[in-house]
Amino acid sequence: MTVGTDARLDRIGTDGSYVIVPMDHGITIGAVQGLKDIESTIDGVTSGGADAVLTQKGIAPRVHDNKNGKGYIVHLNGSTTIGPDENDKRMTGTVEEAVRVGADAVSFHINVGSDHEPDQLTQLSEVTEQAQRFGMPVLAMAYARGPGVDPEDPEALGHAVRLAEELGADIVKTGYSGDADSFQHVVESTRLPVVIAGGSKGTDRETIEMVRGVMDAGGAGVSMGRSIFQHEDPEAIARAVAGVVHDDLSTEDALAEAGLALEA
């Protein structure tokens, strides 16, 4: 890891923990709630405590004036839900392009266990090599997905995060195994900081309880999209998530301090 990589990691996290809000979903599912006026959403989540936001390269002009000095990550592959295979993520950018649009890091998605794993594995390796030349951190989104693969199986998730380290990533994002005890195996499978995906939007309590479980297992935070940007109050839910990740709050205290209802 270079001095530049270290410096840029500091821009997308806080003391080694991370609240990242991916908003690259426009390429995947279209301009859904929270993404039409993405400027307001970016302003809200970064005001609420998110360390960084993440988009595809073409959205960069809409990011910088609204991120309140926080970090910016450019995602380098993608697919659509209306295409023939959503798991078939294709390259959409390069590390050099990310540098040109002002990114502090890049991210790349790989579906470990899918039919497309071989190509994505090669591409992730190429991305990490390019990134090292620029001193650019790489967030690997390494999911356990494919025929016969349980996306919540801690063994499969542990394999996915270890693969990311083996290929030279600096941070790894993966799915949640469902509880802190099983997720501890995932965290222990790598020396990389491990952050979790949020998945589809649940209740506020479900979201924050999941974040609490990740931190109790030794995780480094979240890279959580729809649960935050599709929330009716993205700033408030970002504040609750950041309260757990950065301030070690309980579920109840995080929700209360964010002004969110303590629903059952």
Side-chain angles (χ1 to χ4, degrees):
M1 190 177 294
T2 68
V3 173
T5 304
D6 280 341
R8 292 182 178 93
L9 280 171
D10 286 343
R11 297 175 198 166
I12 65 169
T14 300
D15 297 329
S17 61
Y18 303 89
V19 177
I20 298 167
V21 183
M23 287 181 271
D24 59 312
H25 300 65
I27 199 170
T28 309
I29 56 178
V32 296
Q33 175 188 337
L35 298 183
K36 289 182 180 179
D37 181 8
I38 197 170
E39 291 88 346
S40 293
T41 305
I42 291 168
D43 176 63
V45 300
T46 53
S47 296
D51 296 298
V53 296
L54 179 156
T55 75
Q56 292 280 344
K57 62 188 180 186
I59 302 297
R62 304 176 68 176
V63 173
H64 290 293
D65 289 342
N66 301 288
K67 64 184 179 65
N68 297 303
K70 300 300 183 69
Y72 178 44
I73 303 170
V74 167
H75 195 52
L76 299 183
N77 63 344
S79 63
T80 74
T81 56
I82 60 175
D85 187 350
E86 187 180 351
N87 285 334
D88 187 9
K89 304 287 183 181
R90 300 296 180 100
M91 295 294 297
T92 57
T94 66
V95 176
E96 185 174 353
E97 285 179 307
V99 171
R100 287 203 298 265
V101 300
D104 301 304
V106 296
S107 59
F108 188 88
H109 184 128
I110 178 169
N111 290 312
V112 180
S114 76
D115 293 339
H116 309 289
E117 177 199 289
D119 288 337
Q120 291 168 358
L121 188 152
T122 300
Q123 291 163 357
L124 176 56
S125 183
E126 292 170 350
V127 165
T128 60
E129 191 276 331
Q130 294 169 16
Q132 286 172 1
R133 287 190 277 120
F134 286 96
M136 181 72 80
V138 177
L139 165 63
M141 300 185 181
Y143 292 87
R145 288 181 181 171
V149 178
D150 179 355
E152 295 184 355
D153 175 28
E155 293 295 329
L157 294 172
H159 191 166
V161 300
R162 184 51 178 261
L163 179 150
E165 180 181 5
E166 299 275 349
L167 294 182
D170 301 288
I171 311 174
V172 59
K173 168 183 178 177
T174 196
Y176 187 50
S177 58
D179 59 77
D181 288 342
S182 63
F183 199 70
Q184 186 173 351
H185 167 74
V186 182
V187 173
E188 292 174 349
S189 296
T190 179
R191 290 189 177 181
L192 297 182
V194 178
V195 299
I196 61 144
S200 57
K201 185 180 180 301
T203 67
D204 294 344
R205 177 174 289 276
E206 288 170 342
T207 296
I208 302 307
E209 284 179 343
M210 180 170 61
V211 178
R212 184 67 264 170
V214 171
M215 302 309 291
D216 289 343
V222 305
S223 175
M224 186 174 284
R226 288 171 290 173
S227 296
I228 294 179
F229 74 72
Q230 286 195 303
H231 195 276
E232 61 184 15
D233 190 341
E235 181 174 347
I237 193 67
R239 182 170 290 111
V241 171
V244 175
V245 173
H246 294 320
D247 299 324
D248 198 29
L249 296 183
S250 67
T251 297
E252 289 73 15
D253 287 347
L255 290 169
E257 291 200 9
L260 295 170
L262 299 176
E263 79 276 2

